[in-house]
């Protein structure tokens, strides 16, 4: 961290093993079913498998589905799952019950809420976002402004310029709480306040913060939020994502996909749509029951831990990793992206390297799974529920070897770069 003046020595592995011994979150690792020969540093792309998930799915598939068939919807409360799992996620992001529901993917949820936000601000035509935002969020916003075609516009500016671009034409500010590449944490409350002063709504993407750190959407005055089920919530591949609409907006909030499940009485088969005034009104079609059952397991596991402890461990893991990488001279071509202070970063750390993709492949050969992000980024995700301090040490050692191998190959003309 800042303040370090002398060149740091590489601490030995035992000190990391010792940290694991005193880690209050260490027992949670046993609640995951992890491959034994792999250090998994990609849990922020796809969370690991909670040990209870296969049995929970089996109970629903072979018990409920097989035996009860269509009665399952009422008998087992399948239709309520978007709300019950939604409220459980709400507890993780500081939302009082009745404001969060689990819907479709983050991208689709985002589309629905963004449309709803524009409907709340007729006469304002700008969706304001930043260049660091997740591309899918920008694609969806771009698709939407073209679709509504009332002279609407997606304005994408550098992150630091967002507040300066607030004005009477901005309907909604669309940002990610944690940058998917650099890990930078944006000051949600501060930006939300400025947006409100300018008369705009805010829509926060919590994909890299929900379940990874304390989030306080109610307290921070957030209007709308979406977030992923398959990253830090460990809901499994393609897990459905959640939507938050503040109770301040909910009574008048509309969304564009007015399907029957969002109707206040779907089984009346009313020819006219009447929106359910609760977050159920954000839904469209039948909920993905199996996905919700798996997501519920992931969320339940997270609720055994204290988010403050999770966050503190993420800071400790990422900070130690960065220090280990910096302490080895062979790593000088690895350029840390984003803020230098771990406190200002989320649970992942990214480095630039001219042969990033080859470094990622070399790491995998050494049993460390990380993420490559084009064109030149290697991203290391540290999920505090199951990543150990010893893993940090081992991954840093493997990285030094991987970089040496790749750079030797480059020097030998075996690999092209730059
Ligand atoms: C992973 C991610 C998404 C993608 O969500 P989908 O559910 O696949 O649509 C959206 N936004 C951010 C910031 C992400 O990291």
């Amino acid at each position: 961290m800042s303040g370090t003046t002398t060149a740091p020595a590489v601490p030995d592995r035992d000190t990391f093993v010792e940290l694991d011994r005193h880690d209050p979150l260490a027992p949670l690792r046993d609640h995951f079913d992890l491959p034994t020969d792999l250090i998994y540093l990609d849990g922020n792309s796809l969370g690991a498998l909670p040990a209870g998930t296969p049995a929970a799915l089996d109970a629903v598939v072979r018990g409920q589905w097989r035996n009860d068939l269509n009665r399952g919807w009422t008998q087992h409360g399948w239709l309520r799952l978007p709300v019950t799992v939604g409220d459980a996620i709400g507890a993780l992001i500081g939302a009082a019950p009745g404001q969060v529901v689990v819907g479709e993917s983050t991208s689709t949820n985002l589309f629905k809420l963004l449309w709803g936000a524009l409907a709340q601000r007729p006469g304002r035509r700008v969706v304001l976002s930043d260049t660091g935002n997740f591309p899918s969020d920008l694609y969806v916003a771009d698709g939407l402004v073209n679709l509504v075609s009332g002279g609407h516009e997606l304005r994408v500016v550098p992150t630091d310029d967002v507040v300066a671009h607030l004005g009477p034409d901005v309907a909604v500010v669309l940002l990610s709480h944690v940058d998917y590449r650099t890990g930078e944490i944006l000051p949600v409350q501060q930006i939300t306040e400025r947006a409100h002063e300018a008369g705009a709504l805010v829509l926060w993407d919590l994909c890299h913060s929900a379940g990874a750190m304390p989030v306080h959407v109610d307290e921070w005055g957030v209007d709308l939020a979406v977030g992923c089920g398959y990253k830090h919530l460990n809901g499994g591949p393609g897990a459905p994502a959640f939507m938050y609409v503040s109770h301040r907006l909910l009574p008048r909030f509309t969304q564009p996909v007015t399907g029957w499940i969002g109707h206040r009485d779907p089984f009346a088969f009313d020819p006219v749509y009447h929106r359910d005034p609760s977050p159920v009104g954000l839904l469209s079609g039948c909920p993905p029951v199996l996905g919700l059952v798996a997501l519920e397991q992931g969320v339940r596991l997270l609720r055994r831990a204290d988010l403050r402890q999770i966050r503190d461990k993420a800071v400790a893991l990422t900070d130690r990793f960065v220090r280990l990488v910096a302490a080895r001279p062979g790593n000088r071509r690895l350029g840390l992206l984003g803020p230098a202070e771990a406190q200002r970063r989320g649970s992942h750390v990214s480095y630039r390297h001219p042969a990033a993709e080859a470094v990622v492949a070399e790491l995998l050969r050494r049993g460390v799974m990380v993420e490559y992000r084009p064109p030149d980024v290697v991203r290391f995700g540290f999920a505090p529920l199951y990543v150990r301090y010893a893993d940090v040490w081992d991954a840093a050692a493997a990285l030094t070897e991987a970089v040496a191998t790749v750079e030797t190959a480059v020097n030998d003309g075996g690999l092209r770069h730059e």
Side-chain angles (χ1 to χ4, degrees):
M1 260 210 210
S2 55
T4 308
T5 47
T6 49
V10 181
D12 67 47
R13 191 174 186 279
D14 288 348
T15 60
F16 283 67
V17 172
E18 197 54 29
L19 287 167
D20 284 320
R21 215 164 278 147
H22 296 108
D23 172 15
L25 296 178
L28 279 168
R29 185 177 158 89
D30 296 335
H31 294 276
F32 288 89
D33 189 355
L34 293 156
T36 47
D37 49 358
L38 184 75
I39 294 177
Y40 188 55
L41 301 184
D42 207 4
N44 55 332
S45 272
L46 176 65
L49 172 65
T53 298
L57 282 171
D58 198 54
V60 174
V61 172
R62 279 202 267 228
Q64 300 179 1
W65 179 13
R66 178 191 176 276
N67 297 321
D68 303 318
L69 293 159
N70 200 33
R71 279 176 307 169
W73 288 105
T74 44
Q75 209 163 315
H76 300 296
W78 291 344
L79 268 182
R80 294 297 296 165
L81 280 170
V83 172
T84 51
V85 181
D87 280 340
I89 294 172
L92 296 173
I93 62 166
Q99 302 174 96
V100 178
V101 74
V102 180
E104 288 93 8
S105 66
T106 305
S107 301
T108 304
N109 290 347
L110 183 73
F111 179 88
K112 292 162 84 169
L113 294 197
L114 203 52
W115 186 95
L118 292 179
Q120 296 290 315
R121 289 291 183 272
R124 290 176 175 241
R125 300 207 156 80
V126 173
V127 175
L128 180 60
S129 191
D130 73 324
T131 48
N133 208 347
F134 192 68
S136 187
D137 293 26
L138 299 178
Y139 305 157
V140 167
D142 189 48
L144 178 64
V145 296
N146 289 323
L147 178 72
V148 295
S149 70
H152 287 80
E153 176 199 333
L154 169 63
R155 193 172 296 160
V156 183
V157 302
T159 314
D160 292 341
D161 298 346
V162 167
V163 166
H165 276 82
L166 286 166
D169 54 349
V170 176
V172 53
V173 179
L174 168 65
L175 295 169
S176 289
H177 185 185
V178 178
D179 187 297
Y180 78 105
R181 296 170 89 230
T182 66
E184 180 179 359
I185 299 175
L186 295 192
V188 174
Q189 187 170 20
Q190 203 178 312
I191 294 175
T192 297
E193 278 169 11
R194 300 299 300 272
H196 287 170
E197 283 161 22
L201 293 172
V202 291
L203 200 176
W204 285 97
D205 182 330
L206 307 177
C207 280
H208 288 279
S209 58
M213 61 185 70
V215 175
H216 306 285
V217 284
D218 284 351
E219 194 186 313
W220 293 342
V222 170
D223 302 301
L224 307 161
V226 293
C228 198
Y230 57 77
K231 290 172 181 156
H232 292 283
L233 302 184
N234 302 305
F242 66 86
M243 296 175 258
Y244 162 85
V245 176
S246 161
H247 64 83
R248 288 175 280 111
L249 295 174
L250 206 46
R252 288 163 287 104
F253 198 81
T254 53
Q255 57 89 7
V257 191
T258 46
W260 70 316
I261 298 301
H263 191 286
R264 67 185 176 205
D265 189 3
F267 298 99
F269 297 97
D270 185 349
V272 181
Y273 182 79
H274 293 288
R275 184 176 55 89
D276 189 300
S278 81
V280 168
L282 303 171
L283 300 177
S284 303
C286 279
V289 173
L290 300 180
L292 280 157
V293 167
L295 178 58
E296 186 174 37
Q297 291 298 311
V299 171
R300 198 176 282 173
L301 190 42
L302 257 170
R303 295 187 69 186
R304 302 167 82 108
D306 173 31
L307 282 164
R308 189 68 254 167
Q309 282 185 350
I310 291 175
R311 174 60 185 157
D312 289 347
K313 185 176 171 190
V315 169
L317 293 171
T318 52
D319 188 43
R320 282 185 164 78
F321 183 73
V322 168
R323 286 166 186 248
L324 284 171
V325 172
R328 291 186 163 98
N331 292 331
R332 65 186 169 277
R333 299 196 70 187
L334 288 166
L336 179 68
L337 275 177
E341 308 89 343
Q343 289 289 357
R344 293 186 50 219
R345 267 186 269 113
S347 309
H348 57 272
V349 174
S350 294
Y351 288 91
R352 282 213 156 93
H353 189 280
E357 198 169 13
V359 171
V360 169
E362 279 300 324
L363 277 168
L364 191 57
R365 282 185 356 101
R366 290 169 172 78
V368 182
M369 192 185 286
V370 302
E371 191 71 44
Y372 166 62
R373 284 285 174 260
D376 59 356
V377 174
V378 187
R379 189 178 75 179
F380 301 83
F382 297 88
L385 297 187
Y386 48 85
V387 174
R388 295 166 296 201
Y389 288 91
D391 295 332
V392 168
W393 198 95
D394 292 339
L399 176 61
T400 303
E401 284 178 29
V403 165
T405 304
V406 167
E407 290 181 2
T408 306
V410 168
N411 291 338
D412 293 349
L415 270 171
R416 287 178 55 94
H417 68 107
E418 291 165 329

